[in-house]
Amino acid sequence: DYATIQAAIDDPLTVNGNHLSVDPGTYPEAVTLNKSLTLKGAQSGNPACNRVTGSPDPASESIVTGPAPGATLLTLITGSAGSTIDGFSFIGGTRGLESTSSPIDNLTIENNHFAGFSGSGVFLNDNGTDVTALQNDIDGAGKAGSGDLFHLDTDSFKGFQLVTNCIRNNPTGT
């Protein structure tokens, strides 16, 4: 048991290939992933499309909100290739999920709800082979700034799959 998601990731006993299950609740932190892990939120395995209406319920969701406005809620850096992010709600911040160093090969982003961000729900900024986004709900209704709801930068994304996602409510039309 850990007080934060980041503490569980940073523990020296957490090694590549581990699965970390995150209990329901609200996590006001910006998480950085630098290992190949499976992060399982409370809604792991449950498609996110239309799962959450209004505000997600902390009794049934693992909600990452960030420490302050403007934070990226989950940052993927070198070492995170092969990770799975499954069953979270990312609410607020500039970006829900962002990669900032590569590679992000064999990354799976599934069953997550992204809302309340000001820039992009998902911003993949680095090369990745066989990246899959599956059954996520990306709701831009509260988006105030520029940015895409789901962004692939100009890098190479061979084998990219965007499957059965709900990407909706982009007020800026980009």
Side-chain angles (χ1 to χ4, degrees), residues 26-101:
T26 301
Y27 298 86
E29 60 181 306
V31 178
T32 299
L33 183 58
N34 62 347
K35 298 176 183 175
S36 179
L37 302 174
T38 297
L39 299 179
K40 298 177 96 174
Q43 291 294 325
S44 175
N46 295 317
C49 288
N50 303 314
R51 180 179 77 216
V52 179
T53 55
S55 296
D57 178 8
S60 63
E61 296 270 344
S62 302
I63 306 165
V64 180
T65 60
T72 295
L73 304 182
L74 175 60
T75 302
L76 307 176
I77 63 173
T78 301
S80 64
S83 290
T84 297
I85 315 304
D86 182 6
F88 289 86
S89 282
F90 295 96
I91 308 299
T94 303
R95 295 180 174 151
L97 183 150
E98 177 180 13
S99 67
T100 61
S101 57

Side-chain angles (χ1 to χ4, degrees), residues 7 12 14 18 24 32 51 66-67 70 107 112 114-115 117 121 123 135-136 156:
T14 302
N18 283 165
T32 299
R51 180 179 77 216
L107 173 69
N112 299 293
F114 297 90
F117 50 87
F123 193 94
Q135 300 179 148
N136 296 289
S156 174

Side-chain angles (χ1 to χ4, degrees), residues 5-20:
I5 299 168
Q6 193 66 59
I9 292 169
D10 291 345
D11 187 319
L13 297 175
T14 302
V15 297
N16 289 338
N18 283 165
H19 290 232
L20 297 179

